[in-house]
Amino acid sequence: MPAGVKTEVRTYQTYINGEWIESESGKTFPVYDPATEEVIAQVPDSNADDVNRAVSAAKAAFEDGPWASTTAQERGRVLFRLAEKIRQNAAQLAELEARNCGKPIVEAEFDINDVATCFEYYGGLATKVVGYVNPVPDNAMSLSLKEPVGVAGQIIPWNYPLMMAAWKLAPALAAGCTCVLKPAEQTPLTALEIANWLADVGLPPGVVNIITGFGETAGAPLVQHPDVNKIAFTGSAAVGKIIVKQAADTVKRVTLELGGKSPNIFFADADFEAAIDGALFGVFINQGEVCSAGSRILVQKPIYKKFVDAMTEKTKKITLGPPLERETKMGPLVSKEQYERVRSYQDIGKKEAKLAAGGGRPAKFAKGYYVEPTIFYDVDNSARIAREEIFGPVAAVIPFEDEKDAVKIANDTPYGLAAAVWTRDIFKAFRAVKALRAGIVWVNHMQPTYVEAPWGGYKQSGFGRELGPGGIEEYLETKQVHINLNEAPIGWY
Ligand code: ADP
Ligand code: MG
């Protein structure tokens, strides 16, 4: 493409009841490429009226449409077909994802592969949902039946746009629910693209509806809607708290995956080279825009100085660049808002601790929301950069004395999403695993995530679990059935 020639700015519509339609207001808002700061698409600015239309389509599809009588086998096949479509179009989806959220193309390719894997996993699980026979002490048969929870509202963040959508759509559809999905306003494009294939793979109209819009005007009406039975949310802790309050009036089922300030703990006996890599990967992957980012790096005192030096040296060599270049290891942050937020934490950090690397905006880019990977050390765990989720490539390195000290600092946070511990001592590793208050604990690694294993947090990192066999449970109700086998009156009166 010659310099100065712009790609076409596409205007999308809303996907409701199997059709592409205009939003009620007709208004749209721009979607950006954070590397160029240019508008790459316009999407509908949905409001409560659009939410009402999407929810009534989802409710009708749940109650009266063909989906209600679709067998688990067929639902499984639908998910496999969707996974296949995603694999066939993986290159284009990865490119769109990378352009829209700024992540390196190589990472976006991993994401899209995971998206397909997630649909395949829950496609297989659709036929493994089983109930129970309860051993009640009577001449009766007591059953527990598993049934879909109904209409699921799904609110998605911008860091892993299509992957977070898949984590929610796949188990919901396997369970037999219908969905209204709202992507993040910054990154709605890949979800809108897959909507093109939903009818082809066999989803009846209304089973999946996709509305774009902002949190307060499109997300909140979805949370408050009386016909939405469940909300699944991934996003900030602040919004998670609002959602719990807003869901209370209609007693909605809610699952939340919120932020974290996850500790990545390095004992002096850890494999040093692997440890340095693990510390950097833990906090800088996806520009640090990761809910489970190992943003507190706890290092035992005997290796502390050497560790900070080695991290610093490697960090200076991280290749920042345009998301679509294959050598790029770190792209721009997702938005101007996020850029400013992270820049402000870089400034806060300079007042609270010592700076080892980064701390600003890389000089080589005229445009784009790039920030330097940043390392602060001698950070006190009470500092703001150690307590508040930054959601960018900013590491806080904290020294510790011994095992007891490490666990105490690690758990001293309102969050509890993830933690990691690095040591060659199996006893120490397992003691730490037991003591850490987090929903995911890695030993000698940080970040690998599998659709087969549960994901979610302790404490203020949320509740409920996505992925794994338990992920589908969050979309199921339990119906207890009692069948009296006595052909006689109770005889009480
Ligand atoms: P960030 O602060 O990084 O923008 P958010 O938690 O605000 O993260 O966004 C995550 C998702 O939650 C987005 O889809 C956003 O539109 C949505 N959202 C934001 N505010 C609300 C709200 N009050 N009610 C429902 N959804 C919301
Ligand atoms: Mg927001």
Side-chain angles (χ1 to χ4, degrees):
M1 191 172 62
V5 175
K6 287 194 182 177
T7 46
E8 176 206 358
V9 175
R10 179 160 165 207
T11 301
Y12 287 81
Q13 291 176 301
T14 303
Y15 189 73
I16 295 179
N17 208 27
E19 286 172 22
W20 291 105
I21 56 174
E22 294 298 325
S23 64
E24 288 282 352
S25 70
K27 283 193 211 149
T28 61
F29 64 89
V31 175
Y32 295 90
D33 174 339
T36 62
E37 303 180 28
E38 277 168 14
V39 176
I40 52 171
Q42 291 280 342
V43 299
D45 186 357
S46 306
N47 59 24
D49 292 332
D50 300 298
V51 171
N52 289 341
R53 285 199 293 183
V55 173
S56 59
K59 185 172 186 241
F62 183 74
E63 290 176 353
D64 311 316
W67 191 242
S69 54
T70 302
T71 63
Q73 278 193 349
E74 183 51 22
R75 293 198 303 273
R77 289 187 197 110
V78 164
L79 294 181
F80 276 106
R81 288 195 289 267
L82 182 55
E84 203 183 331
K85 274 276 188 197
I86 288 163
R87 292 202 186 282
Q88 284 162 357
N89 293 278
Q92 297 93 299
L93 285 171
E95 186 178 323
L96 188 61
E97 196 84 308
R99 272 189 86 195
N100 190 183
C101 54
K103 68 174 71 203
I105 184 70
V106 176
E107 289 187 38
E109 287 166 358
F110 276 109
D111 292 1
I112 301 302
N113 181 58
D114 274 1
V115 168
T117 305
C118 185
F119 284 113
E120 287 158 357
Y121 179 80
Y122 284 104
L125 206 61
T127 49
K128 282 95 191 162
V129 174
V130 291
Y132 297 96
V133 178
N134 306 305
V136 293
D138 221 329
N139 185 25
M141 190 176 289
S142 173
L143 307 176
S144 292
L145 306 184
K146 295 288 179 179
E147 298 184 347
V149 76
V151 175
Q154 305 178 316
I155 300 176
I156 309 299
W158 46 256
N159 58 340
Y160 290 92
L162 196 56
M163 206 161 98
M164 293 300 105
W167 285 18
K168 292 177 173 46
L169 288 173
L173 296 174
C177 291
T178 60
C179 305
V180 177
L181 181 116
K182 193 199 83 64
E185 53 271 29
Q186 299 87 347
T187 57
L189 302 184
T190 44
L192 288 168
E193 286 299 330
I194 69 160
N196 283 314
W197 308 322
L198 298 178
D200 287 352
V201 300
L203 282 169
V207 176
V208 174
N209 306 277
I210 299 183
I211 53 165
T212 54
F214 293 91
E216 274 162 30
T217 42
L222 187 60
V223 176
Q224 290 162 346
H225 201 297
D227 292 334
V228 173
N229 303 104
K230 182 226 157 87
I231 288 287
F233 171 78
T234 301
S236 63
V239 173
K241 288 172 193 176
I242 294 172
I243 285 179
V244 174
K245 286 181 194 142
Q246 291 188 335
D249 287 335
T250 50
V251 195
K252 275 191 183 59
R253 284 95 187 98
V254 177
T255 48
L256 301 173
E257 201 257 87
L258 309 176
K261 198 73 201 178
S262 298
N264 198 359
I265 306 167
F266 297 90
F267 286 102
D269 69 343
D271 177 318
F272 192 79
E273 291 306 316
I276 299 301
D277 262 5
L280 300 179
F281 188 81
V283 67
F284 292 151
I285 192 78
N286 205 50
Q287 297 75 240
E289 297 166 319
V290 181
C291 49
S292 57
S295 52
R296 288 187 298 146
I297 298 175
L298 278 51
V299 184
Q300 200 165 16
K301 283 187 177 161
I303 58 166
Y304 181 74
K305 171 131 199 344
K306 196 175 149 207
F307 200 97
V308 173
D309 290 346
M311 270 183 79
T312 303
E313 203 188 310
K314 262 201 158 165
T315 296
K316 288 182 175 158
K317 293 185 195 139
I318 292 175
T319 313
L320 270 79
L324 297 184
E325 284 179 14
R326 299 200 73 80
E327 314 73 60
T328 294
K329 289 277 193 257
M330 192 179 282
L333 299 179
V334 72
S335 64
K336 185 159 194 280
E337 188 188 348
Q338 193 59 15
Y339 170 81
E340 280 164 3
R341 184 184 154 79
V342 174
R343 293 283 286 113
S344 82
Y345 277 104
Q346 287 177 322
D347 292 339
I348 292 167
K350 286 173 198 164
K351 296 188 196 108
E352 289 183 326
K354 294 178 190 148
L355 181 68
R361 182 194 161 79
K364 70 171 178 170
F365 303 103
K367 280 238 152 111
Y369 305 124
Y370 293 92
V371 296
E372 287 175 320
T374 298
I375 299 174
F376 290 107
Y377 68 107
D378 285 3
V379 180
D380 191 276
N381 197 49
S382 64
R384 284 186 64 191
I385 56 164
R387 299 206 79 76
E388 297 171 18
E389 184 176 47
I390 299 173
F391 226 66
V394 180
V397 188
I398 304 170
F400 70 86
E401 286 299 337
D402 55 17
E403 203 179 314
K404 199 163 155 244
D405 193 26
V407 168
K408 187 161 173 280
I409 297 169
N411 285 339
D412 180 12
T413 166
Y415 293 112
L417 184 57
V421 53
W422 299 69
T423 172
R424 283 166 159 154
D425 178 340
I426 191 172
F427 295 97
K428 208 190 289 171
F430 276 100
R431 281 194 300 268
V433 166
K434 265 185 94 172
L436 289 165
R437 299 272 299 150
I440 303 130
V441 181
W442 289 285
V443 177
N444 294 331
H445 210 330
M446 191 171 207
Q447 299 312 353
T449 303
Y450 302 95
V451 301
E452 295 83 357
W455 184 271
Y458 283 23
K459 303 197 287 186
Q460 291 188 30
S461 290
F463 44 77
R465 291 292 179 273
E466 295 186 295
L467 303 183
I472 199 167
E473 293 291 330
E474 308 281 4
Y475 289 92
L476 294 168
E477 290 280 17
T478 300
K479 179 180 282 171
Q480 188 235 108
V481 182
H482 180 92
I483 304 161
N484 179 13
L485 301 177
N486 295 316
E487 289 190 63
I490 301 166
W492 188 269
Y493 300 107

